Amino acid sequence: MHDDVGQLLWIGFEGTSVAPELRGRLERGEAGATIVFKRNLAIAGAGGDERCDLAALVELNQALHRRAPDGTPAWIAVDQEGGRVQRVKAPATVWPAMDRHDQLPAAAALQLAGEVGEAMGGELAALGFDIDFAPVLDVHTNPANPIIGDRAFGRDAEAVGDRALAFADGLRRAGIVACGKHFPGHGDTATDSHLELPRIDHDWARLEQVELAPFRAAAARALPMLMTAHVVFAALDPNRPATLSHLVITGLLRDRLGYRGIVISDDLDMRAIVDHIGVDAAAVAAIRAGCDVLLLCRDPGHQELAREALIRGAERDSELRRRIAESAHRVRQLKQTIEAERTPRPGLDVVGSAPHQALAARLRGGPGPSSRGGAAPA
């Protein structure tokens, strides 16, 4: 049971090296993956002259690649979308925001999305990453949205789905696992779930036509991972955010849309969760709802609270124990599949290479949509 719970907990950490305590947790199988943020990168310079120490990052990722006692690898994830959500920047390629696809003809945008995904994935693979928490599948329909904005692939639901999934195919070709986000759609919120709990009051017809369309396409294409949104959708479940709702995760995503991949919660350290229910209760509720993986990106105390709550709950409740085992099996199965298919990682010479810089320049192009969101998530 302890090993199964460990596969469900994907964690952030402090510092630019692997502390003995973190290494021990990974080697004991107490965490299934780590998430690298800007705070974990060795950065020189300031402002526009910041440079990431790529050799130090490779060394960090090598140290993070531990294995649990049963041999299951601990993976490494990163948010590398392009634009303002891009943890690894220069001398890696600095990618423009994905809404730049909206400036291109439809066929050119679709082709470029795949090329960008493959190039970005190649750089991540060379640096030692396994997962990119991208693409964004949200449709940018609200100019006042403080958190999505230019992170979206556009304003039209069908175009967003096509471009985002082409990008995900590119990541896959490069050996990186894609994770689409934020189900069932964060594009029309007016508040930031890092700070408070947003609510969307659209009716079912609107949700089906706009918000859900890219996720339906992702389910049909068997995208390996989807991340949830800490957003209340009144037409789906007026009482619980999607991450914690059995109606949304199991009833809609699993049963109605037929999704069979891994469902990942957004960060349970976000105030949309912490201020309303607490991390320990949220961890149990998210697994009961149908999530497979819980992100706990910053607070080690929260990580331990979540772990203890799942273990204690499973000891008392056979249904929770079954759900934990089911999700752990799903995570291990994907890891085994990807590890078996993995090809040698490219060399560091692909990172920031001239062809990738030219590709970024093509996407950057001329003037694009003017609407931008707020500050990038931490």
Side-chain angles (χ1 to χ4, degrees):
M1 173 55 61
H2 288 235
D3 290 345
D4 285 350
V5 168
Q7 288 303 313
L8 276 52
L9 301 176
W10 293 12
I11 62 172
F13 60 99
E14 298 295 329
T16 58
S17 62
V18 179
E21 189 274 338
L22 175 58
R23 182 188 295 267
R25 292 172 70 185
L26 295 172
E27 292 178 345
R28 290 191 300 270
E30 294 175 3
T34 50
I35 309 143
V36 170
F37 290 87
K38 183 179 177 181
R39 66 179 183 264
N40 305 123
L41 306 179
I43 302 290
D49 294 325
E50 283 188 353
R51 306 281 290 180
C52 177
D53 185 334
L54 299 184
L57 176 54
V58 169
E59 184 177 349
L60 172 70
N61 284 348
Q62 287 173 343
L64 289 170
H65 270 137
R66 304 292 98 192
R67 289 186 179 269
D70 67 358
T72 304
W75 273 357
I76 308 170
V78 68
D79 289 279
Q80 192 84 347
E81 301 172 9
R84 57 199 164 93
V85 182
Q86 185 171 185
R87 308 307 185 202
V88 186
K89 296 184 179 179
T93 304
V94 178
W95 301 96
M98 292 299 105
D99 77 338
R100 304 298 289 183
H101 287 86
D102 254 355
Q103 71 184 327
L104 301 170
L110 190 62
Q111 178 178 344
L112 191 57
E115 293 174 3
V116 168
E118 187 167 6
M120 193 183 296
E123 296 196 12
L124 293 178
L127 293 167
F129 290 102
D130 304 292
I131 303 163
D132 188 5
F133 288 146
V136 169
L137 288 164
D138 307 309
V139 184
H140 180 32
T141 56
N142 182 356
N145 189 317
I147 192 62
I148 301 301
D150 60 356
R151 299 167 63 190
F153 278 81
R155 291 160 172 75
D156 174 79
E158 183 177 1
V160 166
D162 289 344
R163 296 166 186 172
L165 292 175
F167 176 94
D169 286 344
L171 289 177
R172 178 184 51 78
R173 290 193 296 273
I176 295 294
V177 180
C179 176
K181 56 192 187 186
H182 307 79
F183 180 81
H186 212 316
D188 202 44
T189 57
T191 55
D192 179 355
S193 54
H194 291 80
L195 305 176
E196 55 187 300
L197 181 60
R199 180 183 178 94
I200 289 180
D201 290 318
H202 296 313
D203 62 19
W204 171 254
R206 152 63 193 243
L207 293 177
E208 249 198 332
Q209 182 180 3
V210 180
E211 278 77 12
L212 292 177
F215 294 97
R216 182 181 295 106
R221 290 270 290 276
L223 193 69
M225 297 182 184
L226 288 175
M227 184 184 295
T228 66
H230 300 329
V231 177
V232 173
F233 291 80
L236 306 177
D237 185 338
N239 301 313
R240 284 180 170 257
T243 301
L244 310 182
S245 171
H246 190 273
L247 292 172
V248 174
I249 304 303
T250 296
L252 176 57
L253 181 57
R254 292 291 192 203
D255 296 343
R256 185 158 185 163
L257 299 187
Y259 184 65
R260 295 294 175 261
I262 290 175
V263 180
I264 301 177
S265 81
D266 205 345
D267 183 10
L268 296 186
D269 278 331
M270 289 160 60
R271 289 179 62 181
I273 297 298
V274 172
D275 289 354
H276 290 266
I277 183 172
V279 168
D280 48 356
V284 173
I287 297 301
R288 289 191 191 278
C291 291
D292 299 304
V293 164
L294 308 176
L295 298 191
L296 293 143
C297 293
R298 184 175 288 274
D299 189 326
H302 286 173
Q303 294 164 11
E304 187 58 27
L305 278 175
R307 181 172 175 272
E308 290 177 356
L310 290 172
I311 291 171
R312 286 198 312 268
E315 289 171 349
R316 297 190 302 264
D317 185 336
S318 61
E319 175 55 25
L320 179 60
R321 189 160 61 248
R322 183 197 67 80
R323 275 289 305 115
I324 289 170
E326 176 184 58
S327 291
H329 174 73
R330 193 175 279 133
V331 171
R332 289 190 180 101
Q333 194 169 49
L334 179 63
K335 287 182 175 182
Q336 291 166 3
T337 298
I338 297 300
E339 293 291 309
E341 295 174 352
R342 194 182 296 281
T343 57
R345 295 179 184 268
L348 277 179
D349 58 324
V350 306
V351 181
S353 65
H356 292 179
Q357 300 286 358
L359 195 60
R362 279 173 54 200
L363 180 58
R364 194 169 290 112
S370 60
S371 174
R372 295 292 182 264

